[in-house]
Amino acid sequence: MDNLISGFAILAQWQVVVALIIGSVGGVIIGALPGVGAAVAIAILLPATFAFEPIVGLTLLLGIYGSSMYGGAIPAILINTPGTAVNALTTYDGYPMTKRGEGHRALSLAYSASFFGGIFSILCLIILSPVLAWVAPHFGSREIFLAAFMGILLVVLAHRGQTFSAAMLASFGIFLNTVGLEPVKYTKRFTFDQSWLSSGINLIVVVLGLFAISQALLLLVDRDHAPGEAHVKGNIFAGLKELLGLKRIATVSSSLGVLMGMVPGTGEFTSQFLSYTYAQKTSKDPDKFGDGSPEGLVASEAANNAVPGAAMIPLLALGIPGEALTAMMLSVFYVHNVIPGPQLFADQMDFVMALYMALILLNVIVLVFLLFSTNLLLKIIQIPTRFLGVMILTLSFVGVFSLRNSVTDCAIAAGFGVFGLILKRLNLPIVPIILGMVLGGIMEVKLRSAMARVKSPLDFIDRPIAAILFVMILLIIALHIRTLMQEHRDRLKPQPMGDEDTTQQG
């Protein structure tokens, strides 16, 4: 109770309240703008948040992170253009409902399901806090190394069909983290006698280049267009009542979002796929899915909005981010010397409670804002894409230069921007590079610390949690190998004669 009161006192500061409102409302607007997204906005704002108190900076970023998917549902439902990548599944049932003249109903259901998923995940986070506070101190250097390694492994394997590419890009991220002075004996690594490489390659510079600048370049080189005009008429509050009739799907979808959010590398896409599949298989009208099913819309939106709260669990308990956005937030912790992990729960539980309450409040603020301002947002999202590209490019370079007043950083960011554009054109993942840099740094520090106590290979896993993590890593690898072998056998199976005849006739 004392921590709760202290957390409320932290949250009640006017700077925190302003940051929460700006982040929540700004996240909705950014999410509603096709081609921008939360990752670009957070990357641009990161340098500015370093000047704030840690709770202010994190509240601002959490507001954007937690609210962007609310906004992304608006263009997905009304004009069949997802505002953020994770709202792509929303178009399957949202847009057909709009074509039937039920756009207001679809938006209302999306807002309600998103609110339910967000609050559900935060309540799970709060309930798990005592467990996290008890388990986290049992994680030593070996356990955190193994957890970080498992995180990279899951990130790589999550990119089905692109496993090799994801592994190479994650390895590239780990390599980038090694450039500069190593942290123990301060010897130079991969600097090639270039003084500008001695301080290493800044994570924020890479983030801005790969996410913000590359997206700006993508918007500039593509054909200029603006989303079409749309308008919503009807009772936006009706979805809150309709959601009560779909509470089973909303609860299961939110639960899957929480589970997937806690596992590094899986996140919104996996939780959406599992939730949508569950909803379709248990529905009385499975044929309506993809053709305007309210159940499919609720499953998609509840699952993806349950992820942000759950993604904070490994970040706060172990200091291990599960995706690019939480990796960016981790940098805010480090800049202010607030280190997530066991000590955070032991020494700064009031800070943790303040973050929890901020997550709850942002969902309330966003829901109230959307219920009264959807038509206003529809006018904002009609901004031409090339104008957005110029804005993002300008703000990105301002942010990079403000870090260290370095033109070299701007050149590095521009290089990574072009590299990110190439990756996007080739449909290759960017996230493994960022997580490789963050988790690679954690792995190096923890491995060096652990090796001082390790005399033989078995000493590394002689504690219960370390042994469990090691077994989990082996199981994940074994399951992936089994999946690959099954896919290979399926490809070698001869096609039925009927299929061959059909192919020949075609």
Side-chain angles (χ1 to χ4, degrees):
M1 184 58 69
D2 291 340
N3 288 325
L4 189 64
I5 294 169
S6 300
F8 183 78
I10 292 171
L11 196 63
Q13 299 175 64
W14 70 267
Q15 302 98 318
V16 181
V17 174
V18 171
L20 185 60
I21 294 171
I22 292 173
S24 302
V25 175
V28 174
I29 296 170
I30 288 161
L33 291 169
V36 183
V40 174
I42 290 176
I44 291 171
L45 286 172
L46 264 181
T49 58
F50 295 159
F52 303 151
E53 289 294 319
I55 185 66
V56 178
L58 284 168
T59 301
L60 179 64
L61 299 184
L62 275 175
I64 294 170
Y65 180 30
S67 63
S68 61
M69 285 176 281
Y70 280 89
I74 297 172
I77 290 170
L78 297 181
I79 58 175
N80 203 28
T81 304
T84 67
V86 297
N87 293 109
L89 199 59
T90 306
T91 62
Y92 286 18
D93 295 290
Y95 187 62
M97 290 178 72
T98 299
K99 288 197 295 184
R100 291 202 305 255
E102 297 180 348
H104 66 283
R105 180 189 177 200
L107 282 175
S108 182
L109 269 177
Y111 297 161
S112 304
S114 297
F115 180 76
F116 183 90
I119 297 296
F120 183 90
S121 69
I122 298 157
L123 292 176
C124 290
L125 181 61
I126 293 171
I127 292 168
L128 286 172
S129 285
V131 180
L132 295 176
W134 177 76
V135 171
H138 293 82
F139 274 74
S141 298
R142 284 169 276 184
E143 288 81 5
I144 292 178
F145 169 81
L146 290 168
F149 177 75
M150 187 169 72
I152 285 187
L153 183 64
L154 287 167
V155 168
V156 169
L157 298 184
H159 291 86
R160 296 293 298 272
Q162 295 180 315
T163 307
F164 182 76
S165 302
M168 292 297 99
L169 291 168
S171 301
F172 178 60
I174 295 172
F175 166 74
L176 289 176
N177 184 72
T178 63
V179 175
L181 297 174
E182 58 92 10
V184 178
K185 296 184 179 179
Y186 299 105
T187 53
K188 293 181 179 180
R189 301 186 297 195
F190 306 111
T191 58
F192 307 104
D193 292 326
Q194 300 294 314
S195 58
W196 58 276
L197 284 174
S198 297
S199 58
I201 296 175
N202 191 288
L203 172 66
I204 310 305
V205 173
V206 177
V207 165
L208 278 162
L210 287 177
F211 285 95
I213 295 176
S214 68
Q215 187 63 30
L217 294 175
L218 192 64
L219 293 173
L220 289 170
V221 299
D222 282 346
R223 181 180 296 176
D224 191 23
H225 70 277
E229 188 175 352
H231 190 75
V232 179
K233 294 180 180 178
N235 185 7
I236 295 294
F237 290 89
L240 294 168
K241 183 178 179 181
E242 188 175 355
L243 187 69
L244 294 175
L246 302 169
K247 55 183 179 294
R248 175 184 59 84
I249 289 173
T251 304
V252 173
S253 300
S254 300
S255 302
L256 288 169
V258 170
L259 289 173
M260 293 300 104
M262 289 190 291
V263 179
T266 52
E268 295 93 347
F269 292 106
T270 307
S271 65
Q272 277 184 310
F273 173 76
L274 293 174
S275 302
Y276 197 84
T277 304
Y278 166 81
Q280 187 173 25
K281 287 186 179 298
T282 59
S283 174
K284 294 178 181 178
D285 298 307
D287 294 336
K288 288 186 178 180
F289 279 70
D291 193 30
S293 168
E295 294 172 289
L297 183 61
V298 167
S300 171
E301 286 297 304
N304 65 27
N305 277 271
V307 171
M312 299 300 291
I313 293 174
L315 180 70
L316 294 173
L318 303 174
I320 295 175
E323 56 176 356
L325 298 179
T326 46
M328 296 181 203
M329 290 182 201
L330 185 62
S331 65
V332 179
F333 278 102
Y334 283 153
V335 163
H336 294 286
N337 203 29
V338 178
I339 309 302
Q343 286 303 115
L344 186 66
F345 283 87
D347 302 336
Q348 295 179 274
M349 194 61 192
D350 55 344
F351 181 85
V352 176
M353 294 305 294
L355 286 179
Y356 292 169
M357 287 186 282
L359 283 166
I360 292 175
L361 283 174
L362 82 86
N363 280 277
V364 174
I365 292 168
V366 169
L367 184 65
V368 172
F369 173 70
L370 283 170
L371 289 175
F372 292 101
S373 59
T374 295
N375 283 318
L376 177 63
L377 284 171
L378 292 175
K379 296 185 182 298
I380 295 173
I381 67 175
Q382 293 172 27
I383 299 173
T385 53
R386 285 189 177 170
F387 179 73
L388 280 176
V390 172
M391 286 178 59
I392 294 169
L393 195 65
T394 304
L395 292 171
S396 300
F397 280 117
V398 169
V400 171
F401 188 76
S402 67
L403 283 171
R404 297 185 288 196
N405 296 336
S406 170
V407 177
T408 303
D409 283 348
C410 293
I412 294 172
F416 277 104
V418 174
F419 182 52
L421 176 64
I422 294 169
L423 291 178
K424 287 178 178 179
R425 287 295 197 192
L426 295 174
N427 198 29
L428 294 174
I430 291 174
V431 173
I433 300 176
I434 303 302
L435 290 178
M437 288 187 72
V438 175
L439 295 177
I442 294 171
M443 287 168 61
E444 180 182 5
V445 171
K446 297 303 177 183
L447 181 62
R448 283 179 178 240
S449 176
M451 290 308 292
R453 304 177 186 85
V454 173
K455 305 300 179 185
S456 69
L458 288 177
D459 289 345
F460 209 89
I461 54 171
D462 63 353
R463 296 199 296 203
I465 295 178
I468 291 169
L469 289 170
F470 182 70
V471 170
M472 289 174 66
I473 289 169
L474 292 180
L475 282 173
I476 290 167
I477 295 172
L479 287 172
H480 182 65
I481 292 172
R482 181 188 172 195
T483 302
L484 291 177
M485 291 174 66
Q486 182 63 46
E487 290 175 354
H488 180 66
R489 282 196 295 268
D490 291 342
R491 284 195 296 268
L492 292 179
K493 283 181 181 178
Q495 284 187 329
M497 291 299 292
D499 289 353
E500 288 180 3
D501 294 340
T502 304
T503 304
Q504 288 170 4
Q505 288 172 9

